[in-house]
Structure formats: structure tokens, C-alpha cells
Amino acid sequence: MISNNNKKCVIAVDAMGSDNSPHNDVIGAYNAWTKFKSFELLLVGDKNEILKVASQNNLNIPEDWIVHAPEKILMSDTPTTAIKTKKNSSIVIGASLVKEKKADAFVSAGNTGAMLTASTLIMGRIPGVGRPTIGASFPNQLGSFTLVFDAGASVDSKPQHLLEYSAMGTIFCKEIYGVANPSVGLLSVGEEESKGNELTFATNKLLKESKLNYIGNVEGRDILNGAVNVVVCDGFVGNIILKFGESVIGFLKAKMRTVAEGSLLDKIKVLIAKGALRKALSDLDYQKHGGVPLLGVNGISIIGHGSSTPLAIENMILRAKEMYDKNVISKFEEAIKDYAVK
Amino acid sequence: MISNNNKKCVIAVDAMGSDNSPHNDVIGAYNAWTKFKSFELLLVGDKNEILKVASQNNLNIPEDWIVHAPEKILMSDTPTTAIKTKKNSSIVIGASLVKEKKADAFVSAGNTGAMLTASTLIMGRIPGVGRPTIGASFPNQLGSFTLVFDAGASVDSKPQHLLEYSAMGTIFCKEIYGVANPSVGLLSVGEEESKGNELTFATNKLLKESKLNYIGNVEGRDILNGAVNVVVCDGFVGNIILKFGESVIGFLKAKMRTVAEGSLLDKIKVLIAKGALRKALSDLDYQKHGGVPLLGVNGISIIGHGSSTPLAIENMILRAKEMYDKNVISKFEEAIKDYAVK
């Protein structure tokens, strides 16, 4: 358990993670460090490649920041196989650094499945957690965020897993988003208790018996409406909504381009509209959120998009630092015990 | 089977369906009729109330257009109970008109579950169809539409049901959207065949063995991207995405309002942006789509939002007429037989 907040936080960053690695990963990590300097940075990846990026971009990266990892898990690799066969990959070594307490957090924009598998198998699960969960934060109408668990860590979840997601989600929302008594909603096809599927009916019973601030079923619209702080669902549904949500910006841009192809007046309107729209949509930009945390593993693990920019990497590191500072991991174990039953 | 296209199409409209019934329903139906006159209109509902709306709005509605239905199924009613106990409700009578071949289509903005249950139990299912399905059309980046089946008719579907949805979705897309050889994608958590849950793994096998133009897994983002013409999924997921999608407009409006609260320049930008944004988002407006069709029942059944405006009702009627003209229902039976196996 990482709870020694007297020592300086050590954050290991996968230098080989993003689609544009190691460039985006190294620059993002370096930017985070130069801005805040309140943590020690480890860059996990091919030493020569990292040093090349450092030299090309005039980054002052000492060699002892680099943990050499000559292998790379590709986006196309099968996670479980890759974890077993590529022992010298940045993802396996990064997760091992946390396991061995040489790092407090590991951050990667690499293969999501491999990060999930490595974090779960190498760091291990927090006692009482059956399955780790990924949390996604959606901006809502109220100007705050709705957290969705599980956003894709696993599918075909059991009711007990959804109860665990709810407990961890509650703690995460409390500690990281500062909500005093986060409300929890069960994602379903109607607000009434009679609406749902086999999984929600069984989960509803468990949630009602728990100590969580559970308000019952919520619907698809309630995520952006901000009806609750934490929305709980199986990772199959959560992942599909997350990806659907991410595609809204591209859709709107395409639609605005089409409008701009109309009259000259339309073109001018769209030009002027762009700034306003950009501001309005800025909360939807995944780069701002800094990846998604994997909760339930015995350490801080943050997973980013393959398309992460340096800014996205930087924000992932800040999120890891925040989780360290607020001692979130050690609070989960207590929460699982405390919240799960009345 | 409704296939006699020599006689004039008869469309029964639930006058008591919408939240603002019978006003919106009667006006929408009357508008559709005065615009096109290519069908016979039946208004199912409380006779006095319908005549009152007619007189207040100067609508020339002959009494023989009205099928008196003194009972009303409320939004809060439990569908199966309501169908059994309110035999004189507009929904039960409307569905019965189709069953008795006194109408070719029934259109309602009332209780969705009651419409589903009444259509399925009273009209009956098309031979070979295990479960009826609701189709939702999402605008996509390509300027066309992506159809999603099932958008909420039933949950905990079996692989065979998803195969049926795919076959009916293909016919619907071909006939109503004019796509020659519609592509079908299975909604999952990754494009690779290895990504998915128990349902998608088993469904993938069936779809690969079918004669459908099946391209494999698609992801949440592919709906708005327009990667395929028809997306197939369980109704639990489909319903949640549909409602999430519908909430995007409200979310954007709220965000734009927030931007307008900023500087004067922002306020002006938002004012100018509104028109462009309205155009860009107009395809997302569910009122334009005219409700969702329930496919797989032995007749044309169109289900609308409780919040349907007269325009939404009008478009629901046009969609019903189109399905009648294109003889879609009789093509489903053939499709189920023909597409389901190689």
C-alpha cells in the first residue's frame, strides 16, 4: 500500500506508450516536471530513443531518470500474451516499478488492455476488489463532471463488481472532485425500479442494501444532465458510451464544415461561431482530463489514449500526483469494507 | 400481412399519446393529412376531446375519422397491466385496428412500453421473428444516417435476436434509406474479433455465417462516424446510447449559455453562432426523424416521444406512410428466412 506521503512522490511514465512515442510522452512528462517539480520522474522506455528526443528538443533529462525498457508492446499486441512474452517492455517494467515500490504511480498512453492486465497482474488487486475498474469523467450541464464506472476495464460484470465500482467511484469522486457525499446512480433503461436487465435488477438490490448514497436507476441522458455524481454500469456499456461521447466533437466539427459550405453568411457565422463552440466544447476534450484512472489495483495506474498529445500526458501525470497526494488507494480498501454492506 | 398497395393507406394515430395530448397529436395528424392527402386518417381517442381541439383550432375533422377510445394509458402505467385492464384505451384500440386490417399503420407518442406490448401481443410477430426491435437513426459525419437496432425494445437479448435485428435493419435501411447493400456492424468494445462480451462473441459467429453484409465489430464512435449503415446491439445498450445522444443538444445549449455569460465579445459570438449551430445540430433533432419504428410485428407501428410536437407527430405519420408504400413489413419475413443463414 502506497501511503508514505513524507517521501517525494515518484511517477513512472511510459515513454513508449502513445502513437507518437517517445516524442509526445517524453515532452509531456518533461513539461509536467518543469512546471511542478513536486515529484520525481522516471521515464520507462528505450534509453537511446528517449535521449534522442531529449537532445532534439533541448530537454535537460538526466540519465538516471531513464529506466531502460528495450521492448515495446504494440497497440496490435494481444494484452495477456504481450505481458507474458515481453518482460522487458515499458508497460511490464513500469507496473513492476510500482509493485517493487520504486514508483508510486505508473502512467501510460499505450495498449489499454496491456496496461489493464499488467497493472492487475503485477501490482495486484486491493483486498476485497474482485475486478478493477476504469473511471471516465463526462462534463455535465451543471458545469461539473459525471463520473462513469466502469468505462471499459471488464465486461460481463457481476452485481458484486458493480457494487465495488460504486464504492471506489464514491471515494474517487469525494477525494479528487471534492464532492462531500457523492450520489450514485445505476445506469439503466428507465428511472423506475422495474426497468432494467438481469444485471441491474440484481445490482439494485445490493446497492439499496449498501451504505452508499444510492438514488436508484438513471438513464443515458442523466450522464450529461448531471443527475448524479457517479454512474455505475458494466464496462461494455461504459466503454461504448465513452467512445460515443468522444466522437461528438468530430461530428460537430464535420457538421459545422458542412454548414460553412452553404452561403457566404453561413461561412462567416461558422468562422465566428468557432471560438464560442471551442469554449463550449472544451470540457469534452479528453486531453484535459488526463487519461482514465484504473481503480482497484494496488497502486496508481493511469491509462491514456494512444493519440495522447504532450498536454494529455502532462495531465495524466498531474492526475497521478493528485491521487498520490490524497492517498486515494489506501482509502479504497476501507471503502470496499465500509460501504459494501449496511 | 399488409401488402395490398392498391387501396388507399389507412393510418391510425393515437390522439391521446403525447404529453400535450390530444392537442399536439391531433394538430400534427391533421397537418400531415392536409399536406399530403394520400392516406386516410383515423384519430383514436376521446371523441369529445378530439372534437374540442378541432373546433378550437379550426380543423375540419369529420366525425367518421374518429375512433372513440374513452380510456387512456398513462406514462406511469405498467405496460402489461395497462394493456390487459384498459381494453378501451387508444393504444389497445389502435393496435387492434391494424390487427383487424381496418388500418395499415398505428402511430403513437404514448407510453413506449405499452405501444411495444400492444403492438407485439395484438398485431402479433412476423413468422421467424423471436423479438421485435426498435430502430433509432443517428445522423453521422458523412451527412447520412446510422441506424441502430435494437434501441430499446428488449433487454438481455440472445444472439439469434441480434441476427434478426440485423436482417430487419438491413431491409429497413435498404427500403427507407435507399442504401443498396447496407453494411452491418456489431457494437462492441473494440474492432478486433477478440474484443467483446459473451453476447457479441456468439452473435459474431451467427452474423459471419449469415448472408448479411456484415463487416465485424464496430465501436461507440462508429455510430456518429458513419462507419456502417446498420449497428446492431442489445436494447439495453441501444436505449442508453439513444438517450445519451438525445441529451447532447441540451448539453451544448447549456454550455453555450455559460460561454455567453463571459465577456461581451463571447456573448456576441454566441448570438451569431446560434444560427450556425442550430443548422449543424438540426439532424440531431429527434422531431425530424418522426419517432422510431417497431420492426418485427405484423403491421406498421411507429413509437414517438412523449414530448412530441405536432411536427414530430406529422413526421411519424410520414414515416408510417413510407413504410406502407415500400411494402416493408412483407419484406421482413422473406429477409429473416433469406439472410439468417448462408
Side-chain angles (χ1 to χ4, degrees):
Chain A
M1 191 64 53
I2 298 143
S3 56
N4 180 4
N5 285 358
N6 297 323
K7 74 174 187 60
K8 207 167 189 181
C9 169
V10 181
I11 298 179
V13 177
D14 182 359
M16 321 307 282
S18 81
D19 298 338
N20 195 24
S21 74
H23 180 272
N24 289 8
D25 315 73
V26 171
I27 293 191
Y30 188 79
N31 287 347
W33 186 83
T34 48
K35 270 191 200 163
F36 302 95
K37 289 184 181 161
S38 56
F39 63 94
E40 285 177 25
L41 178 63
L42 292 177
L43 291 164
V44 190
D46 186 283
K47 192 172 179 175
N48 286 336
E49 287 193 47
I50 293 170
L51 289 173
K52 202 172 149 193
V53 171
S55 121
Q56 282 169 345
N57 296 277
N58 295 318
L59 314 180
N60 180 21
I61 292 179
E63 287 208 14
D64 64 358
W65 284 15
I66 301 172
V67 181
H68 183 53
E71 287 179 303
K72 187 178 168 175
I73 294 179
L74 306 173
M75 289 297 182
S76 54
D77 280 342
T78 305
T80 40
T81 316
I83 299 306
K84 279 181 206 158
T85 57
K86 295 186 173 177
K87 295 284 185 199
N88 290 316
S89 61
S90 53
I91 287 181
V92 170
I93 290 178
S96 304
L97 288 171
V98 176
K99 168 72 181 171
E100 294 157 8
K101 302 203 187 313
K102 290 175 186 163
D104 301 295
F106 181 49
V107 161
S108 171
N111 183 314
T112 301
M115 257 302 270
L116 262 166
T117 312
S119 300
T120 308
L121 295 182
I122 298 170
M123 299 181 190
R125 281 172 287 139
I126 291 172
V129 173
R131 287 187 181 181
T133 178
I134 281 175
S137 64
F138 288 80
N140 63 38
Q141 272 202 32
L142 310 176
S144 62
F145 290 88
T146 308
L147 300 176
V148 175
F149 296 90
D150 175 44
S154 65
V155 300
D156 295 322
S157 310
K158 303 283 178 254
Q160 175 63 29
H161 300 137
L162 267 66
L163 178 65
E164 294 165 12
Y165 305 161
S166 305
M168 289 190 283
T170 293
I171 294 293
F172 189 80
C173 183
K174 205 175 201 169
E175 299 296 331
I176 302 296
Y177 288 82
V179 178
N181 185 25
S183 53
V184 176
L186 178 61
L187 192 58
S188 190
V189 293
E191 284 179 9
E192 306 87 340
E193 208 175 33
S194 61
K195 300 271 179 78
N197 60 10
E198 285 173 19
L199 177 64
T200 64
F201 293 144
T203 304
N204 178 53
K205 278 186 194 170
L206 291 184
L207 283 168
K208 277 168 78 177
E209 285 166 7
S210 77
K211 281 190 212 155
L212 294 158
N213 182 12
Y214 173 58
I215 64 132
N217 283 356
V218 292
E219 300 189 77
R221 66 172 67 93
D222 293 317
I223 296 172
L224 295 182
N225 288 356
V228 282
N229 301 116
V230 174
V231 169
V232 67
C233 60
D234 174 56
F236 186 84
V237 181
N239 175 276
I240 287 168
I241 297 170
L242 177 63
K243 288 178 181 164
F244 182 92
E246 285 173 0
S247 71
V248 168
I249 289 190
F251 169 78
L252 285 173
K253 281 185 184 166
K255 286 286 166 190
M256 290 298 263
R257 273 197 300 274
T258 309
V259 173
E261 281 164 10
S263 68
L264 182 63
L265 188 63
D266 282 331
K267 206 187 291 289
I268 293 165
K269 275 184 183 172
V270 168
L271 271 172
I272 297 170
K274 269 186 180 170
L277 196 62
R278 201 177 295 121
K279 272 197 179 180
L281 291 173
S282 68
D283 283 342
L284 267 173
D285 186 356
Y286 70 87
Q287 291 186 48
K288 282 182 62 176
H289 303 306
V292 291
L294 177 65
L295 308 184
V297 295
N298 215 342
I300 298 166
S301 171
I302 308 271
I303 307 176
H305 252 275
S307 57
S308 287
T309 56
L311 177 64
I313 301 282
E314 189 181 320
N315 282 324
M316 283 161 70
I317 293 168
L318 294 186
R319 173 55 45 88
K321 179 68 171 54
E322 206 179 354
M323 285 180 71
Y324 175 84
D325 289 342
K326 291 178 174 167
N327 222 345
V328 173
I329 302 294
S330 64
K331 283 170 184 158
F332 285 152
E333 193 174 337
E334 209 47 49
I336 294 285
K337 271 189 256 169
D338 193 41
Y339 282 122
V341 282
K342 235 178 208 159
Chain B
M1 191 63 57
I2 298 144
S3 57
N4 180 5
N5 285 0
N6 297 323
K7 74 173 186 64
K8 209 167 187 181
C9 170
V10 180
I11 298 179
V13 177
D14 182 358
M16 319 308 283
S18 80
D19 298 339
N20 195 22
S21 75
H23 181 273
N24 289 8
D25 315 72
V26 171
I27 294 191
Y30 188 79
N31 288 348
W33 186 82
T34 48
K35 270 192 200 162
F36 301 98
K37 291 186 179 162
S38 57
F39 64 92
E40 284 176 24
L41 178 63
L42 292 177
L43 291 166
V44 190
D46 187 283
K47 194 173 176 175
N48 286 336
E49 287 195 46
I50 294 170
L51 288 174
K52 200 173 151 193
V53 171
S55 118
Q56 283 169 344
N57 296 277
N58 295 318
L59 313 180
N60 179 20
I61 293 180
E63 288 208 13
D64 65 355
W65 284 14
I66 302 172
V67 181
H68 183 53
E71 285 180 302
K72 187 178 168 176
I73 294 179
L74 305 173
M75 290 297 183
S76 54
D77 281 342
T78 305
T80 41
T81 315
I83 298 305
K84 278 181 207 157
T85 56
K86 295 188 175 177
K87 294 286 183 197
N88 289 317
S89 62
S90 53
I91 288 181
V92 170
I93 291 179
S96 303
L97 288 171
V98 175
K99 169 70 180 172
E100 295 157 7
K101 301 201 187 317
K102 291 177 186 161
D104 299 297
F106 182 48
V107 162
S108 172
N111 183 314
T112 302
M115 258 302 269
L116 263 164
T117 311
S119 301
T120 307
L121 295 182
I122 298 169
M123 299 183 189
R125 282 171 286 139
I126 292 172
V129 173
R131 286 187 183 183
T133 177
I134 281 175
S137 64
F138 289 79
N140 63 38
Q141 271 202 33
L142 310 176
S144 61
F145 289 89
T146 307
L147 301 176
V148 174
F149 296 90
D150 174 44
S154 64
V155 301
D156 295 323
S157 311
K158 303 283 176 257
Q160 175 64 29
H161 300 138
L162 268 67
L163 179 64
E164 294 165 12
Y165 305 160
S166 306
M168 289 190 282
T170 293
I171 293 293
F172 189 80
C173 183
K174 206 176 199 169
E175 299 295 332
I176 303 295
Y177 289 82
V179 178
N181 185 24
S183 53
V184 176
L186 177 62
L187 192 59
S188 190
V189 293
E191 285 179 7
E192 306 87 339
E193 207 173 34
S194 61
K195 300 272 180 74
N197 61 9
E198 285 174 17
L199 176 64
T200 64
F201 293 145
T203 304
N204 178 54
K205 278 186 192 167
L206 291 183
L207 283 168
K208 278 167 78 177
E209 284 166 6
S210 77
K211 281 188 211 158
L212 294 159
N213 182 12
Y214 174 58
I215 65 131
N217 282 357
V218 292
E219 299 188 78
R221 65 172 67 93
D222 293 317
I223 296 171
L224 295 182
N225 288 355
V228 283
N229 302 113
V230 175
V231 168
V232 67
C233 60
D234 174 54
F236 185 85
V237 181
N239 175 276
I240 287 167
I241 297 170
L242 176 63
K243 288 178 181 163
F244 182 91
E246 285 173 358
S247 71
V248 168
I249 289 189
F251 169 78
L252 285 171
K253 280 185 184 165
K255 286 286 168 189
M256 290 299 263
R257 273 196 300 274
T258 309
V259 172
E261 282 164 10
S263 68
L264 182 63
L265 188 62
D266 282 331
K267 203 185 295 288
I268 293 166
K269 274 184 185 174
V270 168
L271 271 173
I272 297 170
K274 269 187 181 170
L277 196 63
R278 201 176 296 123
K279 272 197 182 183
L281 291 174
S282 68
D283 283 343
L284 267 174
D285 185 356
Y286 70 87
Q287 292 187 47
K288 281 182 64 177
H289 303 309
V292 292
L294 177 66
L295 308 184
V297 294
N298 214 343
I300 298 166
S301 172
I302 309 272
I303 306 176
H305 254 274
S307 57
S308 287
T309 57
L311 177 64
I313 301 282
E314 187 181 321
N315 283 323
M316 283 161 70
I317 293 168
L318 295 185
R319 174 52 47 85
K321 179 67 170 54
E322 207 180 353
M323 285 180 71
Y324 175 84
D325 290 342
K326 290 177 175 168
N327 222 343
V328 172
I329 303 292
S330 64
K331 283 170 184 158
F332 284 152
E333 193 175 340
E334 208 47 50
I336 294 286
K337 275 190 250 167
D338 193 42
Y339 283 121
V341 284
K342 233 177 210 161

